Amino acid sequence: MFKIHHPPKGEATVADFQIAINGIPTEAWFCRVSAYPYNTPWPGCQRPLDQTEIASFVSFEADEAVTVTLTSAKDFSEVIVRPLSRKIVPQVSGRKIEFTITKMGQYTVELDGYHCALHIFANPATDFGVDKTAPNVTYLAPGIHELGDVELTEGQTLFIDGGAVLYGSVTAIHKNNVRIVGYGVIDGSREVRTDTTGLLVYHYTKDLRDEATLREALAEQDVLNGCVRLYSCRNSEVSGVILRDSASFAAIIADCEFCECTWVKTIGMWRYNSDGIDLFNSRYVRVADCFLRDFDDCMVIKGIKGWDKANQHHILVEGCTIWCDWGRGLELGAETCADEYHDIIWIDCDLIHGTHIHIDLQNGDRAHIHDMLVKNIRCEYSPNEPFPEIQHDMSVNDYDPHKYPWQTILIDSPIFDGPWSEDRILGQTSRVRFEDIQILGHKNETVPECRFRGAAEGHGNEAIVIENVSFHGRRLAPEEIIVQKGEFDRNILVR
């Protein structure tokens, strides 16, 4: 089975490539992305467009090998298909590029660097087990749907078919058995962020797990909808959908239990604080086979005041492909308002681009983070990585990507009381294992560093294991792994 999700009539497309998939021509979908890592705290206006660029994506589903044929609109010297771990070597003849995808997943095609990349979403063929005619199913067929914010009811399934675009957002509050599925697009570009709108409910002392309290807080602080919001839901699912151009965090899953989030794609995230998937104080969550490209942190596990009577635990992130245009690829925190984070696994992920830190355990509040496994993570590095910089003067765009030499940090685990902290109580991090970490990319790269930064006695990193770090396929000896640690960090074993 093979099916292309063509852009519907009226959707903008991109002409960087002529595209055929299994010999069938299609057009590339439009998305706007960050051109370089120049960021600032919210300045009262949205990010200037001259700091962004146009990129594109194609989407299809298949249960067979698929041949992708591209003809570039421009000359190029080098083409790279990522993730590198898939070992796809395209055939190139002039401007023609051809390769075969045998494993469904997410890929990027990059000509002479990361700018204006083509993203390929190769999805498994499925109908998501949905009867489109069932009374609890809302079906959006291919085409454009201007619906604004859609709030789901108990037991409702929203099926956004491939080739459909929902302009708006989807929210569920205190609902059981809700599903958002399909290979269509949820586009948040209609939503405008201003000085009076909130990214999320901040500085709230009441219990946001109460529905009336939450609704009051969302209205009072005029909180942005983003693309997907699940608040205090149980047995929920978000699968297949493409989340594009959010005005804030693309997806928030807050105080949820038993949530499946699979084959979700975040793309077109260029605006300030456009995170990928953020889990707030949730339990029994699985995030799998997703593609996250965001202008801020990508896969994030936060503890937020108001939900902080609930701990974060039993969270699995697996098989994801991550491109971080600013911040962190895989992250805890910086907000960690909870007593505990535990039983968390990050496994089998490709971090294909990172600007600041690939793997980050930021403990900025009171939480005890413990019993966590980070395993089989492939971190890619490119030559001439742009320097991540804060813009101080909004009247001048003077960004220089090579102002300072820069290399993305491999692992960081700080404990602090900082600008995002709410508790003003230091936490601690212990019993975390980093295993089978691969460093891939340019052969002239040096080994990137790992940092462990405790804050005070009893508030440091303890019982940490780093085992089997490889550098371009060669296992590093313990003394070759660059580990910085502070005076309050104990029993960090490297082997």
Side-chain angles (χ1 to χ4, degrees), residues 9-25:
K9 183 179 179 181
E11 270 294 294
T13 57
V14 181
D16 289 348
F17 297 92
Q18 293 179 11
I19 303 169
I21 303 173
N22 275 359
I24 301 172

Side-chain angles (χ1 to χ4, degrees), residues 435-455:
E435 183 179 346
D436 302 336
I437 308 298
Q438 299 179 41
I439 302 164
L440 304 172
H442 199 262
K443 297 293 184 182
N444 293 332
E445 290 283 341
T446 57
V447 176
E449 68 180 10
C450 306
R451 307 186 305 188
F452 295 88
R453 299 177 285 163

Side-chain angles (χ1 to χ4, degrees), residues 447-475:
V447 176
E449 68 180 10
C450 306
R451 307 186 305 188
F452 295 88
R453 299 177 285 163
E457 198 64 52
H459 301 284
N461 295 277
E462 184 170 359
I464 308 296
V465 177
I466 303 174
E467 182 169 3
N468 189 21
V469 177
S470 64
F471 184 64
H472 305 308
R474 178 180 66 85
R475 179 169 181 166

Side-chain angles (χ1 to χ4, degrees), residues 155-183:
Q156 183 180 0
T157 293
L158 176 63
F159 191 119
I160 308 171
D161 211 344
V165 185
L166 187 166
Y167 279 95
S169 62
V170 184
T171 300
I173 300 177
H174 281 260
K175 297 297 184 292
N176 296 324
N177 305 309
V178 293
R179 303 180 72 204
I180 306 165
V181 300
Y183 291 131

